[in-house]
Amino acid sequence: MSMARARVARRIAAAAAYGGGGLGLLGGAALGVLVTEVALARRVVGGAGETPPHADGRYGSAFVHALGREPLLLGVLGDSTAAGQGVHRPRQTPGALLATGLAAVAERPVDLRNVALSGAQSYDLERQVTQILSDPERVPDVCVIMIGANDVTHRVPAARSVRLLSEAVRRLRSAGCEVVVGTCPDLGTIEPVYQPLRWLARRLSRQLAAAQTIGVLEAGGRTVSLGDLLGPEFEANPRELFGPDNYHPSAEGYATASMAVLPTLCAALGLWPEDEERPDAARREGILPVARAAAEAAAEGGTEVSATGRGRWALLKRRKRRRLPVPAPGGAS
C-alpha cells in the first residue's frame, strides 16, 4: 500500500513541478459523493465562525537577559489549524505552545507572529508569505506551515496545491528562513464524517500529505506528518482531542500535535542534540527514497522527513516527543 501511495505522491509532485494542476485522484462520480458528504458533515460540525485567539507576542521572557541574545522570531502560516481554531485561550494555540517550547530549548525569548487564516487554502500562502516577510529587518528564523485540509474539502487539484506550497517554502528559504511544514492531516477521522466520505477523505488527505512532503523537501524545507492531529489518537479519544465543534482540535489535541512538531522545529535551528540526529534503527528510522519516506510518513503521524543532500533520498525519523512547557496564562509571557 505504501508503495502505491509513493507512486501517486511522486506523480502529483512531478505534475506540480511542471506546472500541472489537473491531476485527479478520484473520478468525477466519487468526487461528487465526496462533495455531497462534506456538505452534510459541515452541517453537523459547528463553531467555524469563531475567531481564533490572538497569541502573538514574546514567549520565554525569563530568558530575556540570558547571554544578551536577541529573541528568535517564529512565524506561523496556514489554515485554521495553524491559527488555533477551536480553543479559547491564546496559550492553547499551537503557535503559543511551539513558541514556549522553542524558548525553553533555546534558552532565549521567542517572538511569535501568526499570519494563518481560518479557511485558508494553499493559494493564500502567497499572501501570507508576503505578510510574514514584510519587514526585511525582521525575517523569521523559522516558520511553521500547516495547510492542506481545505484543499481536500474544496477539491483543489493536488498538483496545484503542492506547487503553491512549494513556492511558499522556496520564498521563505530564499529569505533565509528555516521551514517546517505540518502536512495535511488525516481527514478520515473527523467524527461527524461517515462512509463513504471517511474512506475517500483518508485516501485523499494521505496522498496529498505524501506529495506535499516531496515538494517541500525539494524546496528546502522539512515536514512532519500531522496524521496524529486527526489520526489514531483522535480516533481513539475523540471527546478528549477534538474541540467542541468535533472538527478542530481541542487544547489537548493541539498539545499532542505541537509535541510532534517541536523536535523538528528545534532540529531545523540546530538546537537538538547531535545524537538525536542519527537514525535509530530501533525506531524504524533510516534513509529511504524520497517518495517512499513521504508515503510512510503520511501513514504515521509525528513522522519527520528531511533532505539528506543525496538526490532523491530522504531521512525518515520518528523523534521522541517531549512534554511541552505550559505557556503563561493569558498568552505571551
Side-chain angles (χ1 to χ4, degrees), residues 8 29 41 52 62 73 82 108 115 122 130 137 142 162 223 231 235 265 309 330:
V8 172
L73 178 57
R108 61 192 288 190
V115 298
S122 291
T130 297
E137 301 298 319
V142 63
V162 172
T223 65
E235 196 168 30
L265 185 66

Side-chain angles (χ1 to χ4, degrees), residues 26-110:
L26 293 174
L31 281 174
V33 172
L34 175 63
V35 172
T36 301
E37 293 287 345
V38 165
L40 292 173
R42 283 176 175 166
R43 294 178 189 173
V44 178
V45 300
E50 297 180 6
T51 302
H54 181 76
D56 285 15
R58 180 161 295 176
Y59 293 79
S61 293
F63 303 110
V64 71
H65 299 298
L67 305 176
R69 299 160 77 188
E70 286 293 313
L72 292 168
L73 178 57
L74 168 64
V76 178
L77 307 85
D79 55 23
S80 57
T81 299
Q85 186 88 41
V87 295
H88 301 289
R89 296 179 176 84
R91 61 190 174 93
Q92 297 172 329
T93 63
L97 292 165
L98 290 171
T100 302
L102 181 57
V105 174
E107 296 186 343
R108 61 192 288 190
V110 173

Side-chain angles (χ1 to χ4, degrees), residues 51-299:
T51 302
H54 181 76
D56 285 15
R58 180 161 295 176
Y59 293 79
S61 293
F63 303 110
V64 71
H65 299 298
L67 305 176
R69 299 160 77 188
E70 286 293 313
L72 292 168
L73 178 57
L74 168 64
V76 178
L77 307 85
D79 55 23
S80 57
T81 299
Q85 186 88 41
V87 295
H88 301 289
R89 296 179 176 84
R91 61 190 174 93
Q92 297 172 329
T93 63
L97 292 165
L98 290 171
T100 302
L102 181 57
V105 174
E107 296 186 343
R108 61 192 288 190
V110 173
D111 289 340
L112 171 66
R113 189 177 182 206
N114 193 325
V115 298
L117 178 68
S118 293
Q121 299 168 38
S122 291
Y123 71 79
D124 193 55
L125 288 176
E126 181 180 8
R127 181 193 63 81
Q128 293 184 29
V129 171
T130 297
Q131 188 177 352
I132 206 78
L133 297 179
S134 59
D135 182 359
E137 301 298 319
R138 197 71 173 102
V139 173
D141 296 280
V142 63
C143 283
V144 174
I145 303 175
M146 299 179 183
I147 201 79
N150 294 315
D151 292 53
V152 173
T153 60
H154 289 79
R155 296 187 294 165
V156 176
R160 183 183 305 163
S161 177
V162 172
R163 185 174 71 253
L164 292 167
L165 174 58
S166 299
E167 290 171 354
V169 174
R170 283 194 183 90
R171 284 184 63 194
L172 291 169
R173 294 292 290 128
S174 296
C177 176
E178 297 292 337
V179 182
V180 176
V181 174
T183 55
C184 182
D186 185 348
L187 299 180
T189 56
I190 300 173
E191 201 177 30
V193 176
Y194 306 106
Q195 299 293 9
L197 174 59
R198 184 179 295 270
W199 178 84
L200 294 174
R202 169 163 288 171
R203 180 183 176 190
L204 287 169
S205 54
R206 287 188 177 186
Q207 287 177 342
L208 177 58
Q212 285 178 322
T213 295
I214 297 172
V216 169
L217 262 63
E218 291 176 348
R222 302 179 183 222
T223 65
V224 179
S225 168
L226 290 186
D228 273 359
L229 189 61
L230 298 175
E233 293 180 67
F234 282 69
E235 196 168 30
N237 304 288
R239 297 303 177 191
E240 180 181 358
L241 297 177
F242 278 120
D245 61 9
N246 288 335
Y247 183 86
H248 294 98
S250 64
E252 183 64 28
Y254 279 128
T256 299
S258 298
M259 280 191 291
V261 172
L262 179 63
T264 301
L265 185 66
C266 294
L269 292 171
L271 299 172
W272 221 234
E274 285 190 17
D275 60 343
E276 280 284 332
E277 295 307 299
R278 291 191 291 271
D280 185 344
R283 295 204 297 264
R284 295 177 292 118
E285 299 177 343
I287 296 175
L288 301 171
V290 172
R292 182 179 165 193
E296 290 198 14

